[in-house]
Amino acid sequence: MRKRDESRGRAGTQIVRVSLWGRKSIYRDIEIVSTKSLYDLAGAIVRAFGFDFDHPFGFYSGMNRGTMMRQHPQYELFADIGEDSEARSVKQTTIAEALPQIGCALAFLFDYGDEWLFRVEVIGTGYAEKGRYPKVIAKKGDAPPQYPEEPDLVDEDE
C-alpha cells in the first residue's frame, strides 16, 4: 500500500467498515490516515457508535469467539499500560501494519466486561483531502446504547 501520494503530498487513508458482531446491518464506514495507530482507530470506532472511550480494548486475528483470543497477532491496550500481555501495542502499531490491504479484517473487542464486539474490515483505500480525519463516511442502522437502561426494580413491599 502506498502511504503517501508523492505527486500531491497527501497521506494515504484506509476505509474500514466496522459492524457490530452478528449484526452486519449496523455499521459505520470510517476513513482514517493509514499511519495512525490502532489506538486512534479504536477511538474513532467507539466515537462513531456514540460510545464513551473509557474502557480497555483489543484487536484480534481470530474471527470467531472461539479463536479470537487464541490466534496471533493480537493487539491490546494492556501491552501499552504495562500489564502482563503477549499482545502487541495498540499505540505503536499503525493501521497499515495491522490491516495492510483491502479484505483484511480484525475483531475489535471494547470493554471486556460488557464485551462490545465488532468486525473491522478494510474495504478501500484513498488519499487524505482537506478536512479532519478520521471521519465517518457512511453509516447504516442505529447504534445500541453503550449502557442499556436497566428495568426499574420493583419493591416487594409495595
Side-chain angles (χ1 to χ4, degrees):
M1 168 183 285
R2 295 173 289 173
K3 296 199 191 250
R4 187 170 272 297
D5 178 354
E6 296 299 334
S7 66
R8 296 185 187 155
R10 297 182 297 168
T13 63
Q14 291 188 332
I15 301 166
V16 294
R17 173 156 295 165
V18 182
S19 57
L20 277 171
W21 201 267
R23 297 174 74 181
K24 291 182 181 180
S25 63
I26 300 175
Y27 67 81
R28 305 293 182 261
D29 291 348
I30 301 169
E31 186 171 14
I32 188 167
V33 175
S34 302
T35 56
K36 289 292 188 180
S37 70
L38 288 177
Y39 184 88
D40 296 320
L41 177 59
I45 292 168
V46 169
R47 286 187 294 278
F49 281 87
F51 291 2
D52 294 325
F53 193 36
D54 58 353
H55 293 282
F57 58 87
F59 290 89
Y60 300 94
S61 298
M63 295 307 292
N64 65 54
R65 286 190 184 270
T67 64
M68 186 172 68
M69 299 282 197
R70 293 194 311 249
Q71 289 185 343
H72 292 273
Q74 300 174 354
Y75 309 90
E76 294 178 343
L77 183 61
F78 297 125
D80 294 296
I81 60 175
E83 299 221 4
D84 187 26
S85 174
E86 293 180 15
R88 296 177 184 177
S89 166
V90 295
K91 290 185 176 180
Q92 296 178 16
T93 304
T94 67
I95 297 163
E97 290 173 293
L99 295 161
Q101 60 193 22
I102 294 173
C104 287
L106 292 170
F108 172 61
L109 177 58
F110 175 72
D111 185 351
Y112 293 90
D114 286 335
E115 291 190 349
W116 284 104
L117 192 56
F118 301 85
R119 176 183 170 82
V120 181
E121 181 178 357
V122 179
I123 61 168
T125 60
Y127 293 101
E129 301 291 336
K130 288 184 179 182
R132 296 181 61 130
Y133 288 86
K135 59 184 170 183
V136 176
I137 59 173
K139 68 189 249 182
K140 183 175 178 196
D142 292 329
Q146 181 176 3
Y147 303 110
E149 289 187 31
E150 304 241 354
D152 291 333
L153 298 176
V154 176
D155 188 350
E156 292 179 15
D157 294 333
E158 289 184 13

